Amino acid sequence: MNDLYRMAGHLIRRLNQISISVFTEKMKDAGFDLTPVQFGALAALQTHPDVDQATLAGLIAHDRVTMGAVLDRLQNKGLVERKISPRDRRARVISLTDQGKQVLETVTPIVWALQDEILTGLNPQEQTELLRLMRKAADAGNARSRAPLQSPQQK
């Protein structure tokens, strides 16, 4: 059993639990009902407005089915809107509403501030090194993911 506590998968799961817990607490304290995935979708839409659901899912490495439910919630909150694509009338493009832009502007500094809390116990150099190694491992294993990260150019 002691070996479990040194396994990458176990530690990654635990850090994910910590990350979600800290994120949820900070959003609640700030008066927002927002999940990490919802924040990721909003942030991606800020950089890549008017993308379709499949492209958005790839931009934040989430599966399309989950992305549909995330977008439903964001639309119900008035943070995103779906419009008919000018290129394909069967497709919908998603963009931030003015309210979505305001929420994102307000919560982004909060999200950046909570990053240190997620990695509590590590000094700034250790945090930088851990993030570098996590990016390296995630990039190397991207193709093995059930929802790989995709850049807009890959679509």
Side-chain angles (χ1 to χ4, degrees):
M1 181 78 175
N2 289 339
D3 288 342
L4 171 69
Y5 305 127
R6 294 193 315 257
M7 292 182 175
H10 178 74
L11 293 169
I12 290 166
R13 182 189 60 78
R14 289 190 58 224
L15 282 173
N16 184 57
Q17 288 174 317
I18 292 164
S19 175
I20 291 170
S21 178
V22 170
F23 184 98
T24 302
E25 175 187 326
K26 296 300 180 185
M27 287 299 111
K28 183 179 177 187
D29 289 350
F32 292 96
D33 176 26
L34 203 61
T35 68
V37 177
Q38 291 170 353
F39 172 78
L42 294 175
L45 286 170
Q46 181 180 45
T47 307
H48 305 282
D50 298 323
V51 296
D52 61 56
Q53 180 175 318
T55 300
L56 182 59
L59 289 170
I60 64 170
H62 254 282
D63 62 273
R64 294 176 188 186
V65 174
T66 300
M67 187 52 53
V70 168
L71 290 171
D72 288 344
R73 287 185 203 98
L74 290 173
Q75 188 171 16
N76 289 339
K77 293 176 185 183
L79 304 180
V80 302
E81 60 185 355
R82 295 170 170 152
K83 296 180 269 189
I84 295 173
S85 170
R87 294 184 301 265
D88 179 355
R89 296 194 49 77
R90 297 168 296 170
R92 300 272 186 256
V93 292
I94 304 123
S95 59
L96 294 174
T97 62
D98 288 341
Q99 181 183 354
K101 291 174 187 174
Q102 290 174 333
V103 166
L104 188 59
E105 184 178 321
T106 302
V107 301
T108 296
I110 298 168
V111 174
W112 275 110
L114 65 82
Q115 300 306 301
D116 287 341
E117 195 168 335
I118 291 169
L119 297 178
T120 190
L122 300 180
N123 66 43
Q125 296 79 16
E126 291 168 331
Q127 289 180 10
T128 298
E129 182 64 5
L130 177 62
L131 292 172
R132 184 187 71 77
L133 292 171
M134 289 188 334
R135 273 192 307 274
K136 184 177 181 179
D139 289 347
N142 191 51
R144 300 186 77 171
S145 173
R146 66 179 177 84
L149 182 67
Q150 297 177 346
S151 70
Q153 297 80 14
Q154 291 176 306
K155 295 307 276 177

